[in-house]
């Protein structure tokens, strides 16, 4: 990637971004300095130069998802601010749990990777970096002869700009709208109102969708295609209150006769099995659908736009440590057998104690337990009228897709000895237990980090580098030589977008049918009916179907806006005022946005009053989040660098000023950028 940037000469700096060049994989590139950019005069006037910069933007989407750092998975920050996971790396003093206290302009938002669970500043920097590179392509393409190739390049650059603005506007709200390359140092940026930015996103995407080619017209996968532009445009239409247009876009994508897209119902592609019999997979379509090796193949008619991430680091692989970062840290003395011995051990294959039948590190990875799935995501999400839907393949340990801690078996050789405290029981090979069967004593002393269920079909990536090492004692995820390709957009999400549009249009039967389409494919026993269907049904299904694909925090906030605009009640029968839903403070159960209620009422960890013990500080902590945390604070580095104008700071944070000047239309922002 560095070779691309050597072609440019430095001309401009962006004050609102907090970092220097982002081509390096070291932490040096995340320091809070003004951003440097490179002159495109000699490069962007050629198609090859433009495509090289677009390839860089494509690559940065990989970085935004995976981070390319040990234990650092940026996309998981999106899930921390939701109903699905909470931070759980209890040996880190800066673990983001008390969001209300820790999330400040110079707190979590000014630090990168303090506990390997916080990517807030990382997002801010990467999004504005990408917007400026997209602007370079757009500015130069706009002045060139408008050939089909130039138009396609221009459209893809507009998608990249829109994709980053879409995430920025729901993470932060009112932010600077940067629409062109700035020559020289600019320190007088002004924020633009959220709704004006949404209008600009729609404009960008409506123009892009005309000229970006369909995947059917492209020889390779991994570049932005027309279908991917349509998915983001449909979501932008929802945010803009244009529900009929959102539905129409989805109708086009779901028409197999013209789009060529269709849900996968049967097993396909490479039938990837695990590397030893300690965890077995029964062939099923959900497992195949989420195997990286199958995500981009021609037989997969469900993939709309993919993120290619495979091969060696020199080929462009970005390290994606899903197993290491997300799975519980159970290979540790904090999890014991009833006889007092450590329950599980990760013996390497060249160790005499290795037992392939219980060699879990090779099939389940060796997790660090950074992200604890909420009890709701583990259990409650999969129940209807209090009864678990055991047919759902996405939650099935029977076929191997889902792992419950109780499914593991003691593999520490010390548990082969008879336990006199429990009638001479030999625990080796028996299913592990959280509580002593006689005394009821807790056998796991850090359940937050070491005892929770997880979706194995999503987290598992074959670690080719570790697999080749006989002395290895862990799988991390996509390391050198692995395939860690991912979905950016998949047809399943389109069904859920259309269901949402139909809900707002009061086409309830159609909305129910779209959600049930996915449930049928997953072999669910329970189907929704018109009588028990609401926005919560859609958001629950998004959690089941799109975990680690959707930007959960962003989508909950977008839906919060949609509910406020439409006046439609949520699953609790509560409605929202568009003028006040995102302007409230407090940690009580009354009021707040839909996002806040999903974080607190549904997720069940935030503001529940329960405490946990932090190993790092030997103190107790709580999960606390405020209504105003719906929008993240503007980083202090961006505020300080923008010395000649006032950036709008969000409600609840130091520096908030309700009267801070903001552009009310995107046209004003465009004009200001052009000066």
């Amino acid at each position: 990637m560095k070779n691309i940037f050597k072609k440019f000469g430095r001309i401009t700096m962006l004050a609102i971004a907090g970092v220097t060049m982002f081509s390096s994989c070291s932490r040096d590139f995340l320091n809070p300095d003004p951003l440097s950019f490179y002159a495109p005069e000699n490069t962007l006037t050629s198609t090859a130069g433009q495509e090289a910069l677009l390839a860089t933007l494509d690559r940065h989407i990989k970085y935004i998802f995976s981070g390319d750092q040990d234990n650092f998975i940026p996309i998981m920050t999106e899930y921390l601010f939701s109903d699905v996971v909470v931070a759980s790396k209890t040996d880190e003093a800066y673990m983001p749990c008390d969001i209300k206290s820790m999330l400040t302009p110079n707190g979590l938002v000014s630090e990168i990777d303090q506990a390997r669970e916080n990517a807030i500043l990382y997002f801010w920097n990467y999004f504005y970096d990408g917007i400026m590179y997209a602007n370079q392509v757009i500015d130069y393409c706009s002045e060139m002869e408008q050939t089909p190739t130039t138009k396609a390049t221009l459209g893809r650059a507009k998608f990249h700009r829109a994709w980053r603005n879409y995430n920025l506007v729901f993470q932060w709200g009112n932010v600077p709208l940067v629409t062109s390359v700035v020559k020289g140092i600019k320190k007088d940026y002004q924020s633009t109102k959220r709704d004006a930015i949404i209008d600009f996103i729609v404009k960008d995407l409506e123009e892009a969708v005309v000229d970006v080619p369909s995947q059917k017209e492209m020889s390779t996968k991994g570049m932005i295609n027309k279908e991917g532009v349509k998915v983001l445009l449909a979501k932008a239409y929802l945010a803009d209150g244009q529900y009929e247009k959102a539905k129409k876009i989805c109708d086009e994508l779901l028409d197999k006769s013209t789009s060529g897209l269709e849900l996968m119902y049967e097993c396909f592609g490479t039938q990837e099995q695990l590397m030893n019999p300690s965890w077995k997979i029964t062939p099923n379509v959900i497992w195949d659908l989420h195997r990286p090796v199958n995500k981009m193949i021609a037989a997969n008619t469900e993939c709309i736009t993919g993120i290619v991430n495979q091969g060696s680091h020199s080929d462009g692989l970005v390290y994606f440590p899903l197993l290491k970062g997300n799975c519980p840290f159970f290979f540790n003395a904090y999890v014991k057998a009833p006889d007092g011995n450590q329950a599980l051990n990760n013996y390497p294959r060249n160790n005499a104690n290795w037992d392939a039948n219980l060699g879990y590190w090779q099939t389940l990875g060796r997790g660090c337990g950074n992200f604890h799935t909420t009890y709701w995501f583990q259990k409650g999400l999969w129940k209807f009228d209090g009864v678990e839907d055991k047919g759902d393949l996405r939650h099935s340990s029977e076929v191997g897709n889902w792992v419950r801690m109780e499914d593991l078996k003691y593999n520490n050789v010390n548990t082969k000895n008879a336990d006199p405290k429990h009638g001479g029981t030999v625990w080796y090979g028996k299913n592990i237990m959280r509580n002593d069967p006689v005394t009821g004593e807790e056998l796991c002393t850090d359940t937050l980090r070491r005892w929770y269920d997880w979706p194995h079909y999503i987290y598992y990536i074959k670690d080719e580098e570790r697999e080749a090492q006989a002395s290895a004692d862990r799988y991390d995820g996509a390391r050198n030589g692995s395939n860690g390709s991912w979905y950016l957009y998949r047809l399943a999400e389109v069904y859920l977008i259309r269901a949402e549009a139909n809900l707002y249009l009061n086409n309830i039967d159609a909305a129910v049918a779209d959600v049930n389409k996915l449930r049928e494919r997953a072999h669910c026993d329970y189907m929704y009916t018109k009588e028990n269907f609401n926005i919560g049904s859609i958001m629950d299904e998004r959690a089941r179907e799109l975990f680690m694909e959707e930007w959960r925090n962003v989508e909950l906030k977008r839906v919060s806006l949609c509910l406020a605009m439409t006046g439609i009640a949520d699953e609790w029968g509560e409605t929202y005022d568009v003028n006040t839903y995102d302007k409230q403070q407090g940690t009580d159960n009354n009021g707040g946005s839909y996002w806040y209620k999903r974080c607190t009422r549904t997720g069940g960890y935030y503001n529940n009053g329960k405490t946990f013990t932090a190993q790092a500080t030997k103190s107790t902590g709580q999960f606390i989040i405020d209504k105003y945390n719906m929008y993240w604070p503007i980083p202090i580095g961006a505020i300080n660098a923008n010395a000649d104008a006032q950036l709008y700071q969000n409600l609840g944070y130091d520096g908030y000023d309700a009267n801070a000047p903001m552009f009310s239309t995107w046209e004003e922002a465009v004009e200001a950028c052009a000066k």
Side-chain angles (χ1 to χ4, degrees):
M1 186 161 45
K2 291 180 180 178
N3 292 334
I4 295 173
F5 298 111
K6 289 178 181 177
K7 298 178 181 179
F8 304 112
R10 182 174 300 173
I11 61 167
T12 157
M13 305 172 77
L14 174 63
I16 60 169
V19 300
T20 54
M21 277 283 299
F22 57 96
S23 57
S24 168
C25 291
S26 72
R27 276 291 174 257
D28 293 340
F29 83 101
L30 295 172
N31 294 328
D33 299 317
L35 175 67
S36 299
F37 278 94
Y38 289 75
E41 288 91 344
N42 298 324
T43 301
L44 290 183
T45 52
S46 70
T47 299
Q50 295 162 4
E51 291 180 349
L53 200 48
L54 281 179
T56 300
L57 288 166
D58 289 339
R59 179 173 173 79
H60 290 158
I61 290 179
K62 287 192 287 188
Y63 278 104
I64 291 167
F65 267 83
S66 64
D68 200 33
Q69 297 289 328
D70 181 53
N71 249 357
F72 183 58
I73 307 172
I75 186 63
M76 293 309 296
T77 297
E78 270 286 302
Y79 286 85
L80 289 179
F81 289 83
S82 79
D83 44 12
V84 175
V85 305
V86 291
S88 55
K89 198 169 189 294
T90 51
D91 63 351
E92 292 281 359
Y94 214 60
M95 188 184 88
C97 52
D98 184 354
I99 302 299
K100 176 179 171 61
S101 298
M102 300 172 75
L103 186 61
T104 66
N106 58 357
L108 284 179
V109 177
S110 67
E111 300 290 343
I112 300 277
D113 201 16
Q114 284 279 337
R116 297 175 180 172
E117 296 167 314
N118 164 34
I120 296 175
L121 183 58
Y122 185 91
F123 286 150
W124 176 275
N125 292 331
Y126 256 73
F127 290 149
Y128 275 113
D129 289 349
I131 287 168
M132 288 303 292
Y133 280 99
N135 284 340
Q136 287 185 346
V137 177
I138 292 167
D139 284 4
Y140 276 82
C141 280
S142 298
E143 297 174 1
M144 296 175 64
E145 180 184 355
Q146 295 301 293
T147 66
T149 299
T150 302
K151 289 180 178 180
T153 300
L154 180 61
R156 288 190 173 107
K158 288 183 177 180
F159 170 88
H160 277 289
R161 181 167 69 183
W163 184 80
R164 288 157 174 82
N165 275 325
Y166 179 84
N167 290 316
L168 276 168
V169 83
F170 287 112
Q171 289 172 334
W172 276 277
N174 307 316
V175 294
L177 177 61
V178 184
T179 61
S180 61
V181 175
V182 179
K183 294 179 173 61
I185 300 175
K186 183 176 176 62
K187 297 183 179 180
D188 61 350
Y189 284 95
Q190 187 168 307
S191 302
T192 300
K193 289 185 177 180
R194 177 201 63 201
D195 294 349
I197 297 175
I198 292 172
D199 289 341
F200 188 76
I201 292 168
V202 169
K203 174 183 178 296
D204 260 352
L205 294 171
E206 286 182 336
E207 293 171 355
V209 78
V210 174
D211 295 316
V212 174
S214 168
Q215 184 62 54
K216 294 182 291 186
E217 301 167 355
M218 297 162 56
S219 58
T220 58
K221 287 191 174 184
M223 296 177 67
I224 301 304
N225 52 30
K226 186 184 294 289
E227 292 79 10
V229 177
K230 285 184 175 183
V231 175
L232 185 56
L233 178 56
K235 291 199 278 190
Y237 276 147
L238 290 179
D240 205 37
Q242 301 188 59
Y243 309 123
E244 284 286 2
K245 287 186 177 180
K247 178 183 177 300
K248 182 176 182 297
I249 288 283
C250 293
D251 289 342
E252 294 171 1
L253 289 168
L254 294 171
D255 184 350
K256 179 190 173 184
S257 65
T258 55
S259 71
L261 297 167
E262 186 177 18
L263 289 179
M264 301 300 298
Y265 284 93
E266 305 295 337
C267 292
F268 71 99
T270 299
Q271 305 294 307
E272 187 176 53
Q273 288 292 320
L274 304 184
M275 300 309 295
N276 70 52
S278 64
W279 191 261
K280 297 179 181 179
I281 301 297
T282 301
N284 66 90
V285 65
I286 298 298
W287 178 261
D288 290 347
L289 188 63
H290 289 274
R291 304 282 46 80
V293 70
N294 291 336
K295 289 182 178 180
M296 309 290 284
I297 63 175
N300 186 348
T301 57
E302 190 166 333
C303 176
I304 293 178
T305 307
I307 304 170
V308 179
N309 190 28
Q310 63 187 55
S312 66
H313 290 299
S314 60
D315 294 329
L317 175 79
V318 172
Y319 177 44
F320 200 4
L322 266 184
L323 290 166
K324 184 175 183 180
N326 288 10
C327 292
F329 186 12
F330 47 71
F331 290 123
N332 188 278
Y334 284 89
V335 184
K336 294 184 180 297
D339 61 8
N341 286 301
Q342 181 174 321
L344 299 160
N345 210 316
N346 52 325
Y347 303 111
R349 284 166 290 173
N350 61 3
N351 186 295
N353 294 322
W354 164 257
D355 181 346
N357 292 310
L358 299 172
Y360 293 120
W361 69 260
Q362 197 184 26
T363 53
L364 305 180
R366 185 277 197 189
C368 284
N370 293 357
F371 303 100
H372 178 104
T373 51
T374 63
Y375 189 80
W376 170 77
F377 184 71
Q378 295 177 55
K379 309 291 185 183
L381 175 62
W382 312 91
K383 292 181 179 180
F384 296 86
D385 297 326
V387 179
E388 180 184 350
D389 189 333
K390 294 188 176 181
D392 197 330
L393 289 173
R394 299 165 299 187
H395 193 240
S396 173
S397 58
E398 183 178 344
V399 301
N401 288 347
W402 189 272
V403 181
R404 296 170 174 83
M405 287 294 294
E406 295 85 355
D407 295 329
L408 307 185
K409 298 177 180 180
Y410 298 107
N411 73 353
N412 183 348
V413 294
N414 293 327
T415 62
K416 289 184 176 181
N417 300 318
D419 178 8
K421 295 186 300 182
H422 296 84
T425 300
V426 174
W427 296 107
Y428 189 88
K430 290 184 169 57
N431 291 83
I432 69 173
M433 294 176 284
R434 180 168 166 173
N435 298 95
D436 187 288
V438 175
T439 67
E441 176 189 0
E442 182 79 64
L443 296 174
C444 177
T445 53
D446 182 8
T447 56
L448 184 63
R449 189 179 184 191
R450 305 171 199 281
W451 196 285
Y452 54 88
D453 303 347
W454 72 94
H456 189 49
Y457 71 98
I458 293 175
Y459 287 173
Y460 178 77
I461 299 176
K462 184 181 178 184
D463 187 335
E464 297 287 0
E465 183 176 346
R466 300 290 196 202
E467 182 58 34
Q469 302 168 353
S471 61
D473 63 358
R474 68 193 62 195
Y475 261 22
D476 288 354
R479 293 176 64 89
N480 203 34
S482 304
N483 190 329
S485 296
W486 217 247
Y487 294 117
L488 183 60
Y489 296 125
R490 185 162 57 90
L491 196 65
E493 184 172 13
V494 179
Y495 277 99
L496 294 169
I497 295 170
R498 188 170 70 174
E500 194 181 334
N502 276 319
L503 178 68
Y504 301 145
L505 293 168
N506 201 33
N507 300 328
I508 309 303
D509 288 334
V512 171
D514 278 341
V515 174
N516 282 342
K517 189 84 170 177
L518 302 182
R519 298 190 59 75
E520 290 166 3
R521 189 268 294 280
H523 295 188
C524 296
D525 297 325
Y526 180 94
M527 297 294 155
Y528 284 108
T529 65
K530 183 176 182 179
E531 288 70 30
N532 64 4
F533 190 85
N534 50 54
I535 188 62
S537 311
I538 297 172
M539 299 314 294
D540 287 357
E541 200 63 30
R542 289 187 73 95
R544 299 182 192 104
E545 183 68 30
L546 300 174
F547 182 58
M548 288 295 297
E549 290 178 48
E550 70 165 338
W551 288 59
R552 183 69 175 176
N553 164 65
V554 164
E555 293 305 309
L556 282 172
K557 291 174 181 177
R558 178 192 56 73
V559 171
S560 297
L561 172 61
C562 291
L563 291 178
M565 290 191 298
T566 60
I568 289 177
D570 62 20
E571 57 263 42
W572 297 284
E574 298 176 19
T575 57
Y576 303 85
D577 184 334
V578 73
N579 296 309
T580 61
Y581 82 99
D582 59 351
K583 298 178 178 63
Q584 300 177 43
Q585 301 184 63
T587 59
D588 58 283
N589 289 329
N590 300 317
S593 64
Y594 181 66
W595 165 84
Y596 176 76
K597 290 171 185 172
R598 292 288 302 204
C599 288
T600 55
R601 297 183 187 179
T602 305
Y605 279 67
Y606 288 112
N607 304 349
N608 70 359
K610 295 181 181 179
T611 61
F612 65 90
T613 300
Q615 296 173 30
T617 59
K618 305 302 180 185
S619 61
T620 58
Q622 284 185 286
F623 292 98
I624 303 174
I625 202 163
D626 201 292
K627 295 165 190 173
Y628 70 75
N629 294 139
M630 174 172 175
Y631 292 129
W632 297 342
I634 306 300
I636 192 67
I639 292 172
N640 291 341
N642 199 58
D644 296 337
Q646 180 183 7
L647 290 180
Y648 177 84
Q649 180 59 277
N650 283 313
L651 173 73
Y653 305 107
D654 288 345
Y656 169 68
D657 178 0
N659 298 316
M662 285 191 288
F663 296 126
S664 297
T665 66
W666 62 260
E667 289 89 350
E668 294 174 271
V670 169
E671 183 180 353
C673 280
K675 291 181 179 178

